[in-house]
Amino acid sequence: MWRLWRQEYDRQDSRGKCDIDANPMVPTQLEIRSIPSLLMFRSGQVVGQVVGAVPRARILDLVNKAL
């Protein structure tokens, strides 16, 4: 996933992942009901979300809308 990001977008950003077993409150706070989930944030607010295994084009669409 991160390789895809670097190939398509040459910009500074922040990326992260969360171990929901070690941090059980995070899914509740972000209203995550299924994993895997990909959330896009802008200025600390969720601006897009994709759940499950999705095609590359859908991920890129989410990223483009979030930028």
Side-chain angles (χ1 to χ4, degrees):
M1 175 64 201
W2 304 134
R3 198 171 336 135
L4 164 69
W5 180 266
R6 281 192 311 250
Q7 290 170 353
E8 296 292 332
Y9 301 96
D10 182 26
R11 58 182 289 133
Q12 269 194 308
D13 59 4
S14 296
R15 297 178 298 258
K17 62 182 181 176
C18 178
D19 178 356
I20 61 169
D21 292 326
N23 302 288
M25 293 304 295
V26 173
T28 303
Q29 293 169 345
L30 296 174
E31 298 179 9
I32 296 173
R33 291 180 171 55
S34 183
I35 52 174
S37 290
L38 173 64
L39 282 68
M40 298 295 297
F41 292 85
R42 184 185 307 132
S43 301
Q45 300 296 316
V46 177
V47 294
Q49 181 174 359
V50 176
V51 178
V54 297
R56 176 182 183 200
R58 184 151 177 225
I59 294 172
L60 294 177
D61 185 48
L62 172 71
V63 171
N64 287 325
K65 287 179 182 176
L67 293 178

